Amino acid sequence: MARWPLANFAIIIGTVYFSFMVFAAGELPDAMVLNDWSPSSLFGSALLHGDIIHLAGNMLFLWVFGNAVCAKMGNVLYALAYAGLAGAASVVHLLLDGDPAIGASGAINGVIGVALIWYPANSVSCFWFFFVRGGTFDLDCRFLVAIWLAFDLFGAMTGGGGIAYWAHLGGLGAGAGVGVMMLKYHWIEMTDTEHSIFEVYGKPAKRTERKKPVGVGPVPNWDPSGVAPLSTPYEEPAVAEKATAAVETATATVEAMKVRCRCGAGFRVKSAHRGKKGRCPKCGEVVKLQPAE
């Protein structure tokens, strides 16, 4: 990790502390239950949990995915993003469900959405337990999230289980959007050992090769810029074919003229190309082929 994910540590500690205070009180603060459009409801509901199992499950997922995202994003930005994702998940729940809800699942699914965009091929260590047997296995982030997403979609369509599925889906979608936006605007950069979802599923970027200029080639022993002279003007294909044919029949004694680009590079071309356009061999800028003064 590039830095300690202190903000994620603080969110986990604060959520656990506040949840245990509510457990001890034995009563949920009504103002923080997600059932209206007040700020305390939209954001405060992420601090409430129904029981220890609910809290432990959410904090496990926040630990696994939140540490990686926070370390990449930075502590201040991560704290703001977490709050924003909690609010986005709450808005989607109120619009598409509306039943009272509590829990940090929506915000955590937002963090998972960011991780899906940034680390789709990273392995997540999982454990399983069945009666008296158990073990561990590794699963790519993208496959784990796909399974989780399938359960949420099924739950949202059937409406069963008493779980805020739409908050989960809203948070995941918002998180994926945040991950894409931060990549697009270069707010974060992938390292050489990291591969975002675009690199995993996208095709390698096609590099546009600059058209090779056509002409007589460099004239030796003239290099005022200190750069080996690569000459010849750039022309459209139809004209270039004619120029190539002319070059093939030209003699080695063809008269050449000196041309200089604004970047300072100099090169020689046939005098017959005077007034045409060519590309500078150093900077690639199109220049008008006129004798240098």
Side-chain angles (χ1 to χ4, degrees):
M1 294 186 293
R3 58 176 68 85
W4 283 96
L6 300 179
N8 198 54
F9 295 167
I11 291 172
I12 292 174
I13 294 171
T15 302
V16 170
Y17 177 76
F18 192 86
S19 294
F20 271 96
M21 287 184 60
V22 173
F23 295 158
E27 183 179 1
L28 293 174
D30 292 337
M32 298 179 68
V33 175
L34 181 58
N35 56 13
D36 59 41
W37 296 96
S38 65
S40 63
S41 176
L42 292 174
F43 301 99
S45 56
L47 294 172
L48 301 178
H49 290 82
D51 52 42
I52 293 179
I53 299 299
H54 184 201
L55 174 65
N58 275 350
M59 294 303 101
L60 174 62
F61 272 77
L62 185 56
W63 176 267
V64 171
F65 294 94
N67 285 341
V69 172
C70 180
K72 187 70 174 176
M73 189 180 294
N75 290 298
V76 175
L77 190 55
Y78 177 81
L80 295 174
Y82 184 86
L85 292 170
S90 296
V91 168
V92 173
H93 175 80
L94 290 176
L95 290 174
L96 300 178
D97 189 326
D99 290 338
I102 57 174
S105 302
I108 295 170
N109 270 269
V111 174
I112 293 173
V114 178
L116 174 64
I117 300 300
W118 293 354
Y119 308 114
N122 284 46
S123 294
V124 180
S125 183
C126 308
F127 67 87
W128 62 272
F129 183 82
F130 185 73
F131 289 106
V132 295
R133 297 188 62 183
T136 62
F137 63 94
D138 289 342
L139 193 63
D140 280 7
C141 174
R142 51 187 160 172
F143 301 133
L144 183 62
V145 175
I147 295 171
W148 193 253
L149 175 61
F151 277 109
D152 281 337
L153 287 172
F154 179 79
M157 295 300 101
T158 59
I163 298 174
Y165 293 111
W166 284 112
H168 293 184
L169 294 171
L172 185 67
V178 168
V180 170
M181 180 182 68
M182 295 186 74
L183 280 177
K184 177 179 175 60
Y185 291 102
H186 303 287
W187 293 354
I188 63 101
E189 296 287 348
M190 296 285 103
T191 66
D192 293 339
T193 59
E194 297 170 341
H195 304 285
S196 72
I197 198 167
F198 302 110
E199 296 171 292
V200 171
Y201 289 106
K203 296 180 180 179
K206 294 182 178 179
R207 299 184 182 276
T208 303
E209 296 185 359
R210 182 176 298 156
K211 294 182 179 179
K212 293 182 179 180
V214 179
V216 297
V219 176
N221 304 321
W222 185 70
D223 186 19
S225 66
V227 179
L230 299 174
S231 64
T232 70
Y234 166 81
E235 297 174 3
E236 294 300 324
V239 179
E241 292 176 3
K242 297 178 181 179
T244 302
V247 169
E248 291 175 350
T249 58
T251 65
T253 57
V254 173
E255 183 183 358
M257 64 179 179
K258 300 175 183 179
V259 178
R260 184 177 297 279
C261 177
R262 288 188 299 177
C263 71
F267 52 96
R268 285 179 178 268
V269 296
K270 287 173 57 178
S271 297
H273 292 300
R274 180 195 295 265
K276 297 180 181 178
K277 292 183 178 180
R279 287 191 184 275
C280 172
K282 182 177 181 181
C283 69
E285 183 178 354
V286 176
V287 296
K288 190 171 183 179
L289 302 179
Q290 296 288 2
E293 296 180 358

